[in-house]
Each structure stands twice: as C-alpha cells, then as structure tokens.
Amino acid sequence: MLRKSILACAFVLLPSAASAAKGADDPSTEDAPFASNTTKAGPAPFAASPSAGFAAMGQWVLTMRTTGDEGFFFRKPSGGDWQLSLHPSLDYFIINSVSLGAAFGYFHSPAETGTTVVSLGGRAGFNLNINDNLGFWPTAGLSVNIDSRNHTTNTHTTFGVFAPFLYHLVPHLFVGLGPSFALPLSGGGGNSYGVDFVLGGWL
C-alpha cells in the first residue's frame, strides 16, 4: 500500500518539476518572470508634417498669386467695370531648395476702350522650411509685359521680387503672403510695390 502511495505522488510531482525546469532554462522567464508572452506593439509613428518634402529636387510647384498693381483675381469696383487678373506660375526644383520657374500674367478690363496686359517671364527662388507648417520662399526674375489700351500697345521689361511666407495647410497645399516689388527696366513707368497673396500646390 505504501509503495502505491509513493508511485502516485511521483506521478503528481513529475509534471510540476518539468515545468519548473523549463522555466529555469527560458532566459526570458528568468529575466522577467512576470512578463506576458504577448509582444507589445511599439508606438505609432508620428504623421509627416505638412511641409515635409516641399522643395525637394525634382519637384513641380504650381501657384496662383495676386499682384501689387492689379489686385485680386476678379473684382468689380462700385460704379466701374469688372477686372480679371490671372497670374499662374510653374516652378521646378533643380536641387533641394533651389527652384527655376516660368510666370504668366493676364489682366483684362473692358473699361473705356478696353485694357489688356499680358506678361511672360522667368524667375529663380530659394525655399527655407522654418518649421512643420511655416516656410519662406522668395523669388526674383524678369518679365516682358505687353500693355494694350486705348488702341495703343506698349512693351516693357520688368524686374520683379516676391518674398512670401508660406503656411502649409496640409501636405501638398499651401497659402502665402509677402511683399512684392517691381522695377521697370525699359519702356517707362514707375516702381510698384505691395503685399501679395499666393495659393499653391506641389507634386
């Protein structure tokens, strides 16, 4: 009877001893005996900032801006005729932060005998990303302007500077505001300056 009792106790104790030996051989259990077998996921990566990637080499940027002398895209003064002013630009970053671009301008108003101004120019720029949302992208260039009004057409060349601070609303879309300056190089006319608005997107 005593022999049967000893054998029964041995069968009960053997599995427990085997489990204890396995735990002793497992380094993870030894180092962290209360650690769970499940692997905890790491923290989710932070989302990219809206300005991340802007001004990288090979990037195209399309913008539309107001001008210091012609104002908003469309307006109609009280008691006057409507005016349409479009100034799109296409820029390409040849290396990081350095851009070359082409600018086109069109202004038309039916006032009096009608006024139409067409301009075409090239420019260079340098971008500086200040933080996740804010940047600074000044550009400077030359443009040829064809001004037709009162049955007379005049052509003049202008050197222009536009230095907007950009606010990146979401990735690939920004708005900006900054000073502009235009200096006539030929064809007469005076200097002009102002504060202009720009809306743009990039690929």
Side-chain angles (χ1 to χ4, degrees):
M1 184 69 180
L2 180 60
R3 186 176 181 182
K4 289 182 179 180
S5 299
I6 293 173
L7 289 173
C9 290
F11 279 117
V12 171
L13 295 174
L14 278 174
S16 300
S19 298
K22 183 179 179 183
D25 293 338
D26 188 353
S28 62
T29 307
E30 214 173 76
D31 296 338
F34 301 104
S36 170
N37 289 332
T38 57
T39 303
K40 293 183 178 179
F46 291 103
S49 65
S51 64
F54 180 68
M57 183 175 66
Q59 190 175 106
W60 292 93
V61 185
L62 178 64
T63 57
M64 183 76 73
R65 60 167 283 195
T66 61
T67 60
D69 54 345
E70 293 164 0
F72 294 103
F73 306 128
F74 180 86
R75 65 179 176 179
K76 187 181 186 306
S78 178
D81 290 313
W82 58 267
Q83 299 174 354
L84 176 65
S85 179
L86 300 175
H87 291 269
S89 299
L90 182 64
D91 295 87
Y92 179 77
F93 281 90
I94 55 174
I95 59 174
N96 290 346
S97 300
V98 178
S99 64
L100 293 178
F104 174 78
Y106 177 81
F107 171 82
H108 178 74
S109 173
E112 298 178 0
T113 57
T115 299
T116 300
V117 180
V118 177
S119 63
L120 182 63
R123 65 183 189 177
F126 180 82
N127 178 78
L128 173 64
N129 289 332
I130 300 172
N131 59 30
D132 287 350
N133 292 91
L134 189 64
F136 180 55
W137 186 26
T139 59
L142 299 173
S143 65
V144 177
N145 309 277
I146 303 173
D147 188 332
S148 177
R149 65 184 72 200
N150 297 326
H151 307 291
T152 302
T153 300
N154 295 310
T155 301
H156 60 279
T157 304
T158 302
F159 172 74
V161 176
F162 181 40
F165 285 89
L166 307 181
Y167 186 82
H168 294 266
L169 300 168
V170 295
H172 302 279
L173 180 66
F174 61 84
V175 294
L177 189 70
S180 64
F181 175 77
L183 172 66
L185 300 179
S186 65
N191 301 342
S192 64
Y193 54 89
V195 176
D196 295 322
F197 169 81
V198 62
L199 171 66
W202 49 277
L203 297 174

